[in-house]
Amino acid sequence: MVNLYVNLFVMCSVVVLAHGSSRNLPIVSFEEGYSQLFGDSNLMILQDGKSAHLSLDERTGSGFVSHDLYKHGFFSASIKLPADYTAGVVVAFYMSNVDMFAKNHDEIDFEFLGNIRGKEWRLQTNVYGNGSTGAGREERYGLWFDPSDDFHQYSILWSKDRIIFYIDNVPIREVKKTEAMGGDFPSKPMSLYATIWDGSNWATNGGKYKVNYKYSPYIAEFSDFVLHGCAVDPIEMSTSCDTAPKSQSVPTGTTKESRTKMQNLRKKYMQYSYCYDTTRYQVPPSECVIDPLESERLRGFDPVTFGTSHRGHGKRHHNRRSYRHGINSV
């Protein structure tokens, strides 16, 4: 794997078109933006260099990581997930600095949770900062499409005061920084990662259904890589970027139209939110705004079904042969 360090279109701030579109943002090749994290031959770069396959088999999972650290930005990839029986399989597209800040790391996650045949993939998002793994901010959704049938775009907008998750340029979640959150809001430079690994001990019905390697290799396909942020010097941990917005194309939040789309999607497809989990939080975290109607709807989804919490060291990927275990689950 060529380890080519490139300063990737560093901008003064995150340039994103209205409604979170990334169509006009520069797409980089795999080798411009990423290098292998683990998995040996289970990472395959296609001939055009514009896409990569991550596979999971009995021997190992696989993953890749961005060359650069970033302080805020817009990060995106088109992903096609494995099909058929995928119980216990976890595909993750996320930002993290756990390798640099083992005890107080930040993280912003897309986590795709496989399922038994006939059941859909589920998507989990999570945000935590400064090692606040004891206060997970997970949300889980049933997808309104088959993510193994075609590519869909998954994007993260991270600024100093908010984080927005997008699917196909439509926001599905917005996390605004509040004073009470303090260091729980991600604030330190992070790298971007993608991994596939064996989550048999928790990912499907609390570990009831395991990865069945009869169906392996499980292959997740990635393309349309967007790494559009402010790169950080890994030694000095500094950046020459001015992170103050300078363009009208930089969003300060969701538009009225996109917020309406987000609210409609959340009403239909969100199956779990930490804000309503009274078994974990007798008093909801400070940033939560409780909607009685949403609370009643979510009551039909039993969080125990999704397993107990697996906190702490599991997300570390210091061993190239280890899988990315232990996502905060509910």
Side-chain angles (χ1 to χ4, degrees):
M1 181 63 58
V2 177
N3 187 14
L4 177 64
Y5 184 90
V6 177
N7 190 1
L8 297 170
F9 303 97
V10 175
M11 302 291 289
C12 291
S13 59
V14 186
V15 180
V16 183
L17 301 181
H19 311 302
S21 172
S22 64
R23 294 187 187 92
N24 292 341
L25 295 180
I27 293 174
V28 301
S29 69
F30 181 88
E31 290 191 346
E32 285 178 312
Y34 292 98
S35 58
Q36 185 163 21
L37 179 65
F38 71 102
D40 303 320
S41 60
N42 280 20
L43 168 64
M44 183 174 67
I45 311 304
L46 300 194
Q47 290 183 349
D48 61 4
K50 299 294 185 182
S51 59
H53 288 184
L54 293 178
S55 63
L56 167 67
D57 56 28
E58 289 182 282
R59 181 178 59 90
T60 184
S62 52
F64 56 81
V65 57
S66 62
H67 296 313
D68 286 348
L69 284 164
Y70 295 93
K71 182 66 178 289
H72 305 141
F74 185 86
F75 310 95
S76 182
S78 293
I79 306 173
K80 183 179 178 182
L81 298 176
D84 205 4
Y85 183 96
T86 55
V89 177
V90 179
V91 176
F93 180 64
Y94 64 107
M95 303 194 74
S96 178
N97 49 33
V98 68
D99 286 339
M100 301 186 67
F101 304 97
K103 295 183 179 180
N104 62 335
H105 77 287
D106 307 307
E107 198 154 328
I108 304 171
D109 301 323
F110 273 114
E111 303 161 330
F112 304 93
L113 310 181
N115 219 327
I116 59 176
R117 186 181 287 110
K119 300 292 184 179
E120 73 278 2
W121 278 84
R122 293 150 299 145
L123 170 64
Q124 179 166 285
T125 61
N126 197 8
V127 172
Y128 52 84
N130 205 33
S132 58
T133 55
R137 289 175 163 83
E138 304 95 334
E139 288 188 352
R140 194 169 295 189
Y141 322 84
L143 293 172
W144 51 97
F145 53 86
D146 183 351
S148 67
D149 187 53
D150 203 353
F151 285 90
H152 292 269
Q153 185 184 39
Y154 304 90
S155 309
I156 296 170
L157 172 66
W158 172 40
S159 68
K160 64 180 180 180
D161 62 358
R162 72 191 64 224
I163 294 164
I164 303 177
F165 296 87
Y166 298 88
I167 298 180
D168 294 329
N169 297 317
V170 177
I172 63 165
R173 181 183 184 185
E174 182 178 25
V175 179
K176 296 180 181 179
K177 182 179 180 179
T178 66
E179 183 176 353
M181 288 177 71
D184 284 7
F185 188 88
S187 60
K188 298 185 291 296
M190 291 188 280
S191 300
L192 196 74
Y193 295 85
T195 56
I196 185 170
W197 51 279
D198 186 328
S200 290
N201 63 328
W202 71 273
T204 307
N205 285 43
K208 179 179 179 181
Y209 299 102
K210 315 293 185 183
V211 173
N212 187 338
Y213 287 103
K214 178 178 71 173
Y215 300 100
S216 69
Y218 297 96
I219 300 174
E221 304 175 45
F222 293 78
S223 65
D224 299 333
F225 302 110
V226 174
L227 289 164
H228 203 73
C230 194
V232 174
D233 185 299
I235 304 301
E236 299 293 333
M237 295 300 290
S238 62
T239 175
S240 60
C241 295
D242 176 4
T243 57
K246 289 186 176 181
S247 170
Q248 291 182 354
S249 64
V250 178
T252 57
T254 52
T255 65
K256 182 178 180 180
E257 179 184 358
S258 64
R259 180 172 292 277
T260 297
K261 291 181 179 178
M262 178 173 67
Q263 291 172 343
N264 289 337
L265 285 175
R266 291 170 65 82
K267 287 178 182 178
K268 291 181 180 179
Y269 301 108
M270 188 168 70
Q271 300 176 355
Y272 173 85
S273 170
Y274 72 102
C275 286
Y276 297 90
D277 191 340
T278 57
T279 64
R280 297 173 67 194
Y281 303 109
Q282 293 184 353
V283 177
S286 60
E287 72 273 12
C288 293
V289 177
I290 301 301
D291 181 342
L293 292 178
E294 188 168 63
S295 178
E296 184 63 28
R297 186 184 67 81
L298 292 177
R299 203 183 305 277
F301 297 97
D302 183 1
V304 177
T305 300
F306 303 124
T308 56
S309 296
H310 297 270
R311 311 230 186 268
H313 308 297
K315 287 196 175 185
R316 298 182 186 177
H317 28 247
H318 52 80
N319 186 332
R320 288 166 60 90
R321 291 184 59 82
S322 67
Y323 301 148
R324 184 176 182 267
H325 290 294
I327 290 175
N328 286 352
S329 62
V330 292

